[in-house]
Amino acid sequence: MPQLIEKVYTPFQKNAGHYATTTSTPSKFNNVRGYTIVNGDINSLPLKVKNFIEESALLCQPDKIHICDGSEIENEIFTKSLLEAGTLIPLPKYQNCYLARTNPADVARVESKTFICTPHREQAVCTPRPGIQGTLGHWISPKDYDDAIMNRFPGCMKGRTMYVVPFSMGPVGSPLSKVGIEITDSQYVVCSMRIMTRMGSLVMDEIIKNNVDFVKCLHSVGTPESGKVAMESWPCDPDRVIILHKPENNEIVSYGSAYGGNAILGKKCFALRIGSTIAQREGWLAEHMLILGVTCPNGTKKYIAAAFPSACGKTNLAMMTPTLPGYKIECVGDDIAWMKFDAQGQLRAINPENGFFGVAPGTSFETNPNAMETVVRDTIFTNVAYTSDGGVFWEGLENTIKPGVTITDWLGNPWELGVSKTPAAHPNSRFCSPASNCPIIDDKWEDPEGVPISAILFGGRRPEGVPLIYEAMNWQHGVFIGSAMRSESTAAAEHKGKVIMHDPMAMRPFFGYNFGHYLKHWLEMEEQCNKLNGTMPKVFHVNWFRKDKNGKFLWPGYGENSRVLDWILKRIDGFDCYDETPIGYVPTPESLRLDNLKSQINLKELFSIEREFWLKEAEQIQTYYDNQVGTDLPKQIQQQLNNLKARVEKMQ
Ligand code: OXD
Ligand code: MN
């Protein structure tokens, strides 16, 4: 935030007569408070916390301040008031579940309005080729950052309560965890943060006891310039949304949206954008990855992390019901992994989140029964449809609708199965559920030491050319594969249509610093591991989404992906069950278990590696690097691409 004591004053003076504080002396802002503390004791808080609250209050001018304790009773009070305001609709078919419907202009992350602020542009983003629009994040100068705040925040919480939410990303007290304080004027956000993070007095006590630094997160749903909110039950200011990050101050400022990653600031803003900058400084990795544990029939268990772009099946993989007999999958997390080497050089991961914020459409008893079991308790659904029997509905749940039950779509209109032409649920509608409700949550999911990671998977939606699985030849090759990831766009962000987009490491919307520097950091992890005499995890690329010429998926996916995990486990154990190809190692035909598969698999097509396709792919990766990364590209990554080109050129 700008240095409030001095800077808040300027616009306040400009707007003389408009703001109550105009004539007050800002350095004595205790005099100009004008708010009541309705919960918590601000004077018992460490000075840095108190300052953050008071500066935010001075800027936003709420009527009341509520310091959240995270208790059950507090949550009940907020839920009741959200029900009264019409923000939440009860779902009596389930236990303690509610539906929120947003302003239709506030339905997804807004990447185009998400910025990283650093003194110099090249610290935050790569320098694209002249005339080319950069796609690896947006930089904002410190001055524009301050201006953006001062143009939006002064007085934005007038008439509202400002909630102070202390939260921990990761189990409270774990050496891998970090804490934050989110200040927000949305009870919906508070309730969501309570599900998605460890939140409340426990965390404030940790800040007080250990004097730990916290990430400052300021959020307001905003007040449109006209002063009129379009939808009382979902105030927001979509025209002026802005999501700001200032890594050098460990600071996040978000205005205008109450939706998901824009507002639940522990998630993308903290755990990924600010998290990746802290990780770079401290020598670890903050990644857009699920974490799962897989136990094979002989009882050995391995943990795997996997990076797929938003809405590409991370939650489904993390909660998979394996079809291969004797296998068991347990879920540690479905979206974010923080990974660090321990003293023995073993990479260990925690899931910094406490809940799932999963994409609802497509989730069903067939595709993800564990998620379905998770969401029927303690869940806030957003922008799904609801049913006259008090339940929810979305695309994929057609066979759950009993005769006579009617459906209301996410916009509140009657919706008829097989008749209505628009989707019942918004394609980016979500469930927000506690991870502890997941029937297959791993018993080590809250282990403060994290779980040992044996393999990292990269993947995306690639309808053409990319085989079901291939293994990187070494760490550098693996980092290259991650950097060259591409995937069909989805509804998780504001992109239009289905285009194959570059989404390096599945992190394109989430880098907190220059992508070239990020790759360098990834490459350096190997050195760190070697110094500790550890073993690097193996790296793989998977693609469940390859289609045949008629547009039909070549691989059944979901539980059948356990067959792919089985091969990965064999490779982790050092079995020599691969064939070398120009793009990496693929399973020998007999090593990928296809026994008892219900459908016939065209293995040849599923694993075909076409010279023309890969020449073109290599060319497109080169263009991408040249256009987007430029001189920031580490030379080892360019070398990996040269090697790929040379190997593909030699193909018959
Ligand atoms: C998410 C996303 O919400 O990636 O997890 O968009
Ligand atoms: Mn995600």
Side-chain angles (χ1 to χ4, degrees):
M1 276 195 291
Q3 281 307 302
L4 289 174
I5 304 296
E6 287 146 43
K7 291 199 181 153
V8 155
Y9 205 45
T10 322
F12 282 15
Q13 281 181 326
K14 255 195 251 162
N15 292 327
H18 187 68
Y19 292 107
T21 50
T22 314
T23 55
S24 308
T25 310
S27 57
K28 289 189 192 136
F29 59 88
N30 272 349
N31 300 340
V32 297
R33 259 190 191 158
Y35 53 77
T36 321
I37 307 233
V38 292
N39 195 62
D41 174 11
I42 195 167
N43 292 318
S44 70
L45 302 178
L47 191 63
K48 57 190 173 189
V49 178
K50 194 171 169 215
N51 283 348
F52 178 44
I53 298 172
E54 289 188 331
E55 285 183 7
S56 303
L58 177 65
L59 178 66
C60 304
Q61 301 169 39
D63 282 10
K64 298 177 190 156
I65 296 182
H66 179 121
I67 301 168
C68 296
D69 56 32
S71 63
E72 202 62 59
I73 180 90
E74 180 183 81
N75 191 51
E76 274 168 28
I77 292 167
F78 292 164
T79 305
K80 190 161 170 277
S81 113
L82 286 165
L83 285 165
E84 276 162 16
T87 310
L88 292 183
I89 298 170
L91 295 168
K93 189 169 173 182
Y94 318 119
Q95 200 185 317
N96 191 29
C97 290
Y98 303 93
L99 165 63
R101 291 196 309 225
T102 72
N103 180 318
D106 188 21
V107 290
R109 284 186 287 101
V110 194
E111 289 173 14
S112 56
K113 299 185 181 161
T114 299
F115 296 89
I116 309 291
C117 175
T118 49
H120 305 285
R121 178 191 292 268
E122 52 292 353
Q123 295 168 301
V125 292
C126 301
T127 308
R129 191 193 276 272
I132 300 278
Q133 177 77 39
T135 57
L136 286 162
H138 303 285
W139 174 74
I140 189 166
S141 71
K143 174 172 183 314
D144 289 349
Y145 179 94
D146 286 358
D147 288 350
I149 294 173
M150 298 319 297
N151 289 334
R152 291 168 175 80
F153 276 86
C156 68
M157 294 188 190
K158 275 187 176 177
R160 297 188 186 142
T161 302
M162 187 176 101
Y163 301 94
V164 179
V165 183
F167 66 96
S168 174
M169 298 312 292
V172 178
S174 158
L176 299 174
S177 300
K178 303 276 174 201
V179 298
I181 295 180
E182 175 160 353
I183 285 181
T184 176
D185 51 4
S186 161
Q187 283 181 337
Y188 165 86
V189 168
V190 179
C191 294
S192 304
M193 283 292 285
R194 186 167 183 271
I195 297 172
M196 294 307 298
T197 71
R198 283 90 176 167
M199 176 281 241
S201 306
L202 207 66
V203 182
M204 193 64 100
D205 291 348
E206 177 75 8
I207 297 175
I208 296 169
K209 197 172 68 203
N210 296 326
N211 191 26
V212 282
D213 281 332
F214 59 93
V215 173
K216 289 185 201 165
C217 309
L218 174 62
H219 168 252
S220 173
V221 296
T223 303
E225 281 171 302
S226 66
K228 287 205 184 87
V229 290
M231 193 172 156
E232 287 297 329
S233 60
W234 193 270
C236 57
D237 188 1
D239 294 340
R240 296 194 299 159
V241 168
I242 197 156
I243 324 288
L244 301 163
H245 308 73
K246 193 181 241 190
E248 66 176 356
N249 291 6
N250 276 346
E251 181 176 283
I252 299 159
V253 180
S254 163
Y255 175 91
S257 163
Y259 198 72
N262 299 332
I264 302 169
L265 298 185
K267 194 171 181 62
K268 304 299 180 182
C269 297
F270 180 162
L272 290 178
R273 297 197 192 94
I274 293 294
S276 65
T277 67
I278 301 175
Q280 187 209 24
R281 287 199 295 272
E282 297 181 355
W284 49 277
L285 298 170
E287 302 301 327
H288 191 202
M289 291 182 181
L290 67 90
I291 309 165
L292 61 79
V294 48
T295 308
C296 52
N298 70 14
T300 54
K301 183 168 186 180
K302 295 278 189 287
Y303 288 93
I304 293 174
F308 306 154
S310 308
C312 285
K314 280 203 298 301
T315 308
N316 288 345
L317 182 61
M319 297 185 194
M320 183 225 277
T321 308
T323 52
L324 272 188
Y327 275 81
K328 187 158 98 181
I329 301 288
E330 284 158 297
C331 174
V332 177
D334 78 330
D335 197 42
I336 298 175
W338 283 359
M339 301 188 287
K340 190 175 183 174
F341 287 110
D342 66 15
Q344 285 70 46
Q346 168 66 57
L347 192 64
R348 302 191 80 91
I350 59 163
N351 166 16
E353 300 192 279
N354 189 53
F356 306 119
F357 190 68
V359 175
T363 308
S364 69
F365 291 100
E366 291 75 43
T367 62
N368 193 340
N370 290 315
M372 293 306 291
E373 225 182 287
T374 305
V375 304
V376 291
R377 278 182 295 134
D378 315 315
T379 294
I380 302 177
F381 296 92
T382 304
N383 286 344
V384 301
Y386 76 93
T387 58
S388 54
D389 60 348
V392 290
F393 175 78
W394 53 72
E395 281 58 33
L397 293 186
E398 289 74 6
N399 56 18
T400 64
I401 299 300
K402 303 230 165 66
V405 168
T406 59
I407 298 172
T408 302
D409 74 8
W410 72 280
L411 291 163
N413 301 317
W415 190 92
E416 227 178 303
L417 196 60
V419 176
S420 298
K421 296 280 177 282
T422 49
H426 186 278
N428 190 37
S429 54
R430 301 284 180 139
F431 52 83
C432 178
S433 314
S436 55
N437 280 5
C438 177
I440 58 156
I441 198 73
D442 192 81
D443 58 5
K444 287 201 167 26
W445 87 281
E446 300 203 89
D447 190 327
E449 303 304 321
V451 296
I453 296 296
S454 302
I456 292 176
L457 318 190
F458 293 116
R461 290 174 186 263
R462 295 301 306 265
E464 274 178 62
V466 179
L468 177 65
I469 176 152
Y470 61 99
E471 180 187 333
M473 297 167 179
N474 51 50
W475 182 252
Q476 285 195 2
H477 184 221
V479 179
F480 160 71
I481 289 172
S483 77
M485 261 171 72
R486 302 170 72 200
S487 187
E488 214 166 52
S489 55
T490 68
E494 78 264 46
H495 308 293
K496 297 269 180 309
K498 284 198 170 177
V499 284
I500 304 287
M501 295 175 43
H502 282 269
D503 192 347
M505 314 309 239
M507 281 286 282
R508 189 192 44 76
F510 309 123
F511 292 118
Y513 64 102
N514 181 309
F515 168 57
H517 305 172
Y518 165 96
L519 288 177
K520 183 167 173 285
H521 178 57
W522 262 75
L523 291 168
E524 283 166 1
M525 294 304 281
E526 189 174 26
E527 228 172 275
Q528 213 191 110
C529 178
N530 290 344
K531 278 193 195 138
L532 296 163
N533 289 322
T535 309
M536 291 304 280
K538 279 186 172 295
V539 180
F540 300 84
H541 187 282
V542 296
N543 175 28
W544 323 131
F545 301 94
R546 192 167 186 176
K547 290 180 176 168
D548 67 13
K549 290 179 190 65
N550 302 318
K552 226 177 130 268
F553 287 114
L554 284 160
W555 179 249
Y558 303 109
E560 303 296 7
N561 293 336
S562 54
R563 298 168 191 277
V564 176
L565 296 185
D566 168 71
W567 186 75
I568 291 172
L569 291 186
K570 287 184 199 133
R571 290 296 300 133
I572 294 171
D573 285 340
F575 285 99
D576 186 11
C577 53
Y578 67 93
D579 287 329
E580 190 165 341
T581 78
I583 65 168
Y585 304 147
V586 297
T588 51
E590 64 289 351
S591 66
L592 183 68
R593 285 186 55 184
L594 298 177
D595 44 304
N596 298 321
L597 250 176
K598 286 201 198 79
S599 50
Q600 196 66 34
I601 301 296
N602 184 343
L603 269 191
K604 195 156 173 270
E605 214 177 330
L606 188 60
F607 279 98
S608 75
I609 296 167
E610 306 277 342
R611 185 174 186 274
E612 287 319 303
F613 175 90
W614 280 94
L615 280 179
K616 199 156 160 233
E617 183 78 1
E619 197 184 298
Q620 281 170 343
I621 297 167
Q622 185 68 68
T623 306
Y624 182 70
Y625 287 164
D626 293 347
N627 284 349
Q628 294 293 335
V629 197
T631 54
D632 290 318
L633 189 75
K635 61 180 186 327
Q636 298 94 318
I637 300 296
Q638 180 59 54
Q639 188 56 52
Q640 285 296 332
L641 177 56
N642 297 347
N643 297 348
L644 172 71
K645 277 189 218 162
R647 290 192 302 260
V648 175
E649 265 159 14
K650 274 200 230 134
M651 286 173 80
Q652 297 307 318

